[in-house]
Amino acid sequence: MDHHDYLAWLSEIDDLSSYQRIATVRLLAGQPSLEAVIGLLEERIGTARNCPHCAAGGAVIRGRSNGLKRYFCKICSKTFNALTGTPLARLRHKDCWTEFAGSLSDGDTVKTSAARCGVASSTAFRWRHRFLRAVTAGAIKLRGIVEADETFVLSSRKGERNLDRKARRRGGKASKRGVSHEQVPVLVAADRSGATVSAILPAVSAAHLQAVLQPVLDQDALLVTDGCTSYPPCAAAMGISHEALNQTAGERVRGELHIQTVNSRHERLKSFLRRHRGVATKYLDSYLRWFHLAVLPRQPTPRAVLAAAAGILPVRPCA
């Protein structure tokens, strides 16, 4: 954290509640790993104590289980804890979770994560996908000049035992050049503030592009794309302004308009995926979450990664 951000953080301390002040003091004093994780997870419940089964508030504490407080709902008579109904439910070894969050932040492989946390490789693999499945992006709105472009990732059935084709080695290459059914399209959209959205597309069509872009685009945004013919009808259906760059004719920049930001995101995404030697397509969405969680933010801390995985904080929208 630079000095300016530190001063801004200090200026907001006066607005903390008494509970938040106590939690901050404990954190700065340096809690043991397990105690810090338990304290972070308990923040999910909040003061309303809403039941995940019936959504009613006012649950009462009824003992502890597996290190977490157990709550009893007086409406539906069911019990729950801070992880009930989340992908992290029933996972063990919570004292290793901070270190595992650090391994996600560093982009470690499964074997490296397992050795770092002292668990089996199968456990590290299960934790990776449970943690990433729990990550939420939060409410993001792309404003002003918004660049959008798609990149393609080789379709992979890594891990399947009954293939109808010869298995590829270490990811391999497509049998055909260019775009084909062997390539999975990934849309990336970003505005000039750095806010970024990415999504897997079933196909590069106006309808699929609209399904991804309409919820996140501000109505006054200017959509800038390449010459792909699916974007004009998509922009018209959404009622937003659109400018296309004719990159085939060598038009890379037109005044303030370009798509270099999303092309940079494409390169960073491809570099991130390349380290993992072929990502199975069924897990590609989790790796996109990982990309937003640990690659785009500047120096994500293990606590920030764990808070995002626990569903307490959304992924930071800016790079």
Side-chain angles (χ1 to χ4, degrees), residues 1-313:
M1 180 183 292
D2 60 31
H3 185 63
H4 177 76
D5 291 339
Y6 171 69
L7 293 178
W9 179 78
L10 281 180
S11 67
E12 298 178 358
I13 287 183
D14 293 338
D15 295 331
L16 297 179
S17 65
S18 57
Y19 168 78
Q20 291 171 334
R21 289 172 183 267
I22 294 173
T24 302
V25 169
R26 288 178 178 173
L27 179 63
L28 294 176
Q31 292 176 304
S33 178
L34 179 58
E35 184 180 343
V37 171
I38 295 298
L40 181 64
L41 296 177
E42 294 289 4
E43 292 178 16
R44 295 191 72 256
I45 297 298
T47 56
R49 297 180 181 177
N50 293 322
C51 173
H53 303 292
C54 67
V60 296
I61 299 174
R62 184 167 288 183
R64 302 182 74 91
S65 177
N66 296 319
L68 295 172
K69 292 178 183 177
R70 199 74 183 164
Y71 297 89
F72 174 77
C73 177
K74 293 182 285 186
I75 305 299
C76 66
S77 300
K78 293 183 179 180
T79 60
F80 62 93
N81 62 25
L83 298 180
T84 299
T86 73
L88 302 185
R90 302 184 184 279
L91 292 184
R92 309 302 180 191
H93 305 294
K94 295 181 181 65
D95 55 321
C96 299
W97 284 10
T98 300
E99 190 65 32
F100 184 73
S103 75
L104 284 178
S105 177
D106 295 339
D108 290 343
T109 63
V110 169
K111 288 186 178 180
T112 303
S113 296
R116 184 170 173 175
C117 300
V119 297
S121 294
S122 58
T123 299
F125 181 82
R126 183 168 60 253
W127 283 5
R128 172 187 289 183
H129 291 288
R130 290 278 198 97
F131 273 53
L132 295 176
R133 203 188 320 154
V135 171
T136 58
I140 297 177
K141 274 292 182 183
L142 303 179
R143 296 179 170 86
I145 298 176
V146 178
E147 305 169 29
D149 194 15
E150 65 283 347
T151 188
F152 293 85
V153 179
L154 184 64
S155 176
S156 172
R157 295 164 65 183
K158 185 177 179 180
E160 292 188 26
R161 296 186 178 276
N162 298 313
L163 294 176
D164 53 5
R165 58 168 174 78
K166 186 178 180 180
R168 294 194 296 258
R169 181 178 178 83
R170 293 289 188 183
K173 298 180 180 179
S175 60
K176 300 178 181 178
R177 294 185 63 183
V179 178
S180 69
H181 68 279
E182 297 181 70
Q183 304 283 351
V184 179
V186 177
L187 175 68
V188 179
D191 63 20
R192 297 298 166 82
S193 72
T196 305
V197 171
S198 65
I200 301 171
L201 297 174
V204 184
S205 67
H208 291 123
L209 289 170
Q210 182 180 354
V212 175
L213 293 175
Q214 189 154 25
V216 299
L217 275 184
D218 187 77
Q219 194 61 33
D220 294 329
L222 171 61
L223 183 64
V224 182
T225 68
D226 60 10
C228 176
T229 57
S230 297
Y231 286 104
C234 171
M238 293 188 292
I240 63 171
S241 301
H242 172 245
E243 292 288 342
L245 300 176
N246 189 355
Q247 294 192 318
T248 304
E251 186 183 28
R252 306 295 179 185
V253 179
R254 186 196 305 156
E256 292 186 272
L257 308 182
H258 59 77
I259 57 172
Q260 295 173 0
T261 304
V262 292
N263 287 339
S264 173
R265 297 284 194 274
H266 290 167
E267 179 56 34
R268 293 175 69 181
L269 175 62
K270 291 290 186 68
S271 297
F272 170 68
L273 296 178
R274 201 175 295 122
R275 296 204 306 264
H276 298 282
R277 303 292 185 89
V279 173
T281 299
K282 63 181 178 180
Y283 294 129
L284 182 56
D285 186 61
S286 290
Y287 279 81
L288 288 180
R289 293 168 185 255
W290 193 359
F291 177 67
H292 284 267
L293 176 67
V295 179
L296 288 183
R298 293 175 297 175
Q299 299 178 341
T301 64
R303 181 177 176 83
V305 171
L306 184 57
I312 299 170
L313 293 174

